[in-house]
Amino acid sequence: MRELFLTGATGRLGRTVQKELADEWSIHPCSLSGGEDLTSVEPVDAVPEHIDFVLNCAAVSSRSGCIKNPVTAFKLNTLWPRKLAAFCSETNRRFVHMSTDLVYAGGIPPYTERSPAVPGSFYGWTKLLGDIAVQKRNPNACIVRTSILVGDAGAKMTTFSEDILSGRATHFHVDCFRNHTDINALARFLSICLYSSRAGLILAATPYAMSRAAYAYSLLKRDINLIPAPNNIPHDLTLRPSEIIPTH
Ligand SMILES: NC(=O)c1ccc[n+]([C@@H]2O[C@H](COP(=O)([O-])OP(=O)(O)OC[C@H]3O[C@@H](n4cnc5c(N)ncnc54)[C@H](OP(=O)(O)O)[C@@H]3O)[C@@H](O)[C@H]2O)c1
């Protein structure tokens, strides 16, 4: 069985990767709560010597988290992937890195791999700078850019569908469009990326965008509270993904 070093292993995507890929991969999990602070460690000290595959899911993954802890966010979202990408390139390890649709500002959809990225948030900037550094330091690396993740992750932070079904989310934007992407199917796609030699940016998401309100309605099937999205969040992040992640 191939061995995988997985950062962000306790997060939404990391947990799902552990669950979905357990039969195919022997996974070495890494997380902050597991005792590894990636903002103050070098890849050579973090990645076990015998492991040839690395998947980077560690992130300060929310706009509010990045504003609260900007230095940590810059270190984890920008500097860590830059260092990890260079290390994987120098040591011939396969590297797959996670990106987000929030690198776009939401003004000129649909977005493809060729669309210019100009983020509208500090979170988006930390992620975009990380993506650019990964591409530059490790041209063989694969950068998987996706949209808002939905499905049962069971992590400390919740997915949008978990928020809807638990009643935590009560008001839904009518004018904010994303490609709500199934987290389990995305995890399985990441396994394919790890095995393949594909390089560069890949947009991987469900093929169509919906408003957050339409998505919530599709789950709850009852009247919901509709609100306009505030101006400081991107309104239309519709992706035209080259890799279709199926809905379950
Ligand atoms: N969630 C989405 O809807 C979404 C959408 C598009 C793209 N993405 C991208 O997908 C990736 C995974 O996101 P996610 O939603 O799974 O994130 P998440 O649920 O917030 O998980 C973040 C992970 O990073 C770890 N971490 C945080 N600070 C750390 C540090 N200083 N040192 C080491 N590890 C640290 C956390 O560990 P602890 O749990 O121990 O704190 C946790 O395992 C990110 O690159 C994100 O940008 C996510």
Side-chain angles (χ1 to χ4, degrees):
M1 202 183 269
R2 295 207 179 175
E3 302 200 46
L4 171 66
F5 180 67
L6 171 67
T7 72
T10 48
R12 288 165 285 200
L13 186 55
R15 270 189 184 276
T16 311
V17 164
Q18 293 203 67
K19 185 181 62 179
E20 287 290 336
L21 274 55
D23 292 346
E24 284 168 72
W25 294 87
S26 165
I27 298 180
H28 295 249
C30 163
S31 65
L32 186 59
S33 47
E36 194 84 271
D37 185 352
L38 297 175
T39 63
S40 58
V41 76
E42 292 304 313
V44 66
D45 299 317
V47 184
E49 209 176 321
H50 63 287
I51 297 185
D52 292 333
F53 295 86
V54 176
L55 173 58
N56 188 40
C57 295
V60 178
S61 67
S62 70
R63 287 151 36 97
S64 56
C66 288
I67 287 166
K68 236 186 274 169
N69 296 301
V71 176
T72 304
F74 182 66
K75 283 183 176 172
L76 189 62
N77 294 356
T78 306
L79 300 183
W80 167 252
R82 175 174 179 257
K83 287 197 280 192
L84 188 58
F87 172 76
C88 289
S89 171
E90 285 152 17
T91 57
N92 275 325
R93 288 174 161 87
R94 174 72 175 147
F95 182 45
V96 176
H97 170 69
M98 287 309 302
S99 175
T100 170
D101 58 351
L102 287 165
V103 299
Y104 305 117
I108 43 163
Y111 294 97
T112 70
E113 281 88 354
R114 289 166 301 286
S115 302
V118 183
S121 64
F122 179 61
Y123 168 58
W125 276 110
T126 63
K127 291 292 294 179
L128 178 63
L129 293 174
D131 295 355
I132 293 169
V134 167
Q135 248 170 335
K136 191 161 175 211
R137 300 283 165 135
N138 188 342
N140 294 324
C142 180
I143 299 163
V144 177
R145 185 170 291 165
T146 191
S147 184
I148 187 163
L149 299 175
V150 292
D152 247 359
K156 190 166 57 183
M157 286 181 72
T158 42
T159 65
F160 184 43
S161 59
E162 287 172 318
D163 287 342
I164 295 168
L165 293 171
S166 68
R168 249 165 61 102
T170 55
H171 290 69
F172 303 98
H173 299 145
V174 275
D175 50 354
C176 176
F177 294 82
R178 310 276 295 269
N179 295 53
H180 300 78
T181 297
D182 181 68
I183 198 165
N184 297 286
L186 180 72
R188 293 192 291 276
F189 174 69
L190 292 175
S191 179
I192 296 169
C193 290
L194 283 160
Y195 278 123
S196 84
S197 54
R198 281 188 66 173
L201 178 64
I202 301 175
L203 261 57
T206 204
Y208 49 83
M210 284 170 108
S211 71
R212 300 194 82 166
Y215 181 76
Y217 181 78
S218 76
L219 284 193
L220 295 173
K221 299 268 183 329
R222 59 169 164 75
D223 281 350
I224 53 174
N225 298 312
L226 305 176
I227 49 168
N231 283 337
N232 64 341
I233 71 166
H235 280 210
D236 193 344
L237 286 174
T238 298
L239 302 181
R240 185 167 292 154
S242 59
E243 285 294 339
I244 302 299
I245 304 300
T247 46
H248 55 96

